[in-house]
Amino acid sequence: MSATNAPGNTGRRLSDPLYWDAYYAQAAAAVLPAANVVVSTTVATSATGAVLSSSAAVDDGGSTPNLTDATTPAPTHEWFRDWDGIHALLRDAFLAANPPPPPSPPLDHDGTTLLSSSVSGDSDRRDPSILHLGSGDSIIPAELSRLGYRRQLCVDFSAALVALMRDARAPVAGVTWACADVRAMGDVPLVAAAAPFKLAFDKGTLDAMVHGSPWDPPEDVRESIRKYLDEVHHVLAPDGVFVCVSFRQPHFLRLLLPADVDSRWTWRLSLLDGTGAGSFAYHTLVMRKL
């Protein structure tokens, strides 16, 4: 038995990409029995020994399985809350102040725009860029695409998951994928090319880094959170927003924040709307880059 899978190490296991590679490979096999998702046991490590990435490939004999086929349910795993449960949070924290650009103006028969230059100038406004951190196979990016947000990058350190989302699902307009550890993503080409982002969104990713006592988090947990927030700060635009949905209560979340948080961010902790009696309580950490 590996140290990661040893009893009592469930928290550490959630921050190991090989655990998620196996998880998503198994989920894919459940609905795609003909597909062979190969997960390599070779991992890249940082100078401190932290796992940064693994490798995986999908080999289905030359055909590409369609997880969105009406007869084949897609194996989605919507952690914590679904779109209906977090839409209001995203609206208030970011979407209302950062609407997507209007649709391209219609063209006249000669190919020129039907709108005057004074009006059509607004269509040059850039689409707000959104980064999904440890996105898994959540449908939140697709829901945002439906609203018109077409500059989204999803990062996840499970190579099996990224291969599955890139190759086996119908593409979602304006959504791209990169395999990266959110604690070391700034130099990943796809992330660097898309930065800076106006919004970074996390639904359970920070929680997966946490293990041990909530009152006195181990040093490796504090270091992971510090690296994570450093990376998010680095790739956000000035005044960019980081929205995190967590199962952890506010007083425990506060203990995870680095000592210099107030010099780099404005931030608030609150209960997620729609949770309470009869359901698990989820909380939100909303941070704005100074």
Side-chain angles (χ1 to χ4, degrees):
M1 178 182 292
S2 69
T4 299
N5 292 317
N9 280 345
T10 301
R12 286 189 175 91
R13 183 175 60 184
L14 296 180
S15 61
D16 183 347
L18 294 181
Y19 168 81
W20 293 106
D21 281 346
Y23 179 92
Y24 284 109
Q26 183 179 24
V31 295
L32 300 170
N36 179 25
V37 181
V38 180
V39 180
S40 170
T41 57
T42 302
V43 297
T45 59
S46 68
T48 61
V51 176
L52 299 182
S53 66
S54 57
S55 60
V58 175
D59 177 10
D60 59 356
S63 63
T64 301
N66 179 11
L67 295 191
T68 59
D69 184 87
T71 61
T72 307
T76 57
H77 307 83
E78 201 64 60
W79 304 109
F80 296 177
R81 305 293 287 180
D82 59 12
W83 173 247
D84 290 338
I86 60 94
H87 182 204
L89 166 68
L90 290 178
R91 179 196 64 211
D92 295 343
F94 179 79
L95 303 180
N98 296 273
S104 300
L107 300 179
D108 203 348
H109 61 85
D110 63 355
T112 60
T113 181
L114 293 175
L115 300 180
S116 67
S117 58
S118 61
V119 176
S120 63
D122 186 57
S123 67
D124 294 333
R125 180 165 47 110
R126 293 186 67 193
D127 193 349
S129 53
I130 298 173
L131 176 64
H132 298 272
L133 298 155
S135 53
D137 59 355
S138 170
I139 65 167
I140 303 303
E143 294 289 352
L144 288 170
S145 177
R146 263 194 335 110
L147 294 180
Y149 294 91
R150 301 298 172 84
R151 294 183 66 230
Q152 301 185 66
L153 178 63
C154 300
V155 299
D156 200 288
F157 68 177
S158 169
L161 180 279
V162 172
L164 182 67
M165 299 303 286
R166 281 178 173 171
D167 300 334
R169 282 183 182 246
V172 176
V175 177
T176 55
W177 285 83
C179 186
D181 189 312
V182 295
R183 296 162 294 189
M185 62 182 168
D187 294 329
V188 174
L190 279 174
V191 178
F197 297 91
K198 294 286 288 181
L199 170 67
F201 180 59
D202 168 340
K203 186 155 64 74
T205 298
L206 182 147
D207 282 17
M209 302 178 194
V210 181
H211 63 87
S213 169
W215 295 104
D216 185 20
E219 186 55 36
D220 65 308
V221 171
R222 296 179 185 274
E223 180 68 4
S224 283
I225 302 300
R226 184 192 65 77
K227 288 180 178 179
Y228 181 31
L229 292 180
D230 280 351
E231 287 293 288
V232 174
H233 192 276
H234 176 66
V235 300
L236 277 178
D239 207 38
V241 178
F242 172 51
V243 176
C244 174
V245 178
S246 173
F247 185 59
R248 298 192 168 267
Q249 295 179 344
H251 48 283
F252 293 136
L253 279 171
R254 178 63 185 91
L255 292 174
L256 296 171
L257 300 181
D260 64 349
V261 62
D262 291 328
S263 66
R264 308 180 72 191
W265 305 88
T266 61
W267 58 277
R268 59 182 172 84
L269 291 162
S270 59
L271 180 70
L272 178 62
D273 289 343
T275 62
S279 66
F280 289 109
Y282 298 107
H283 299 87
T284 63
L285 170 64
V286 177
M287 310 179 77
R288 187 175 297 273
K289 178 179 175 177
L290 294 174

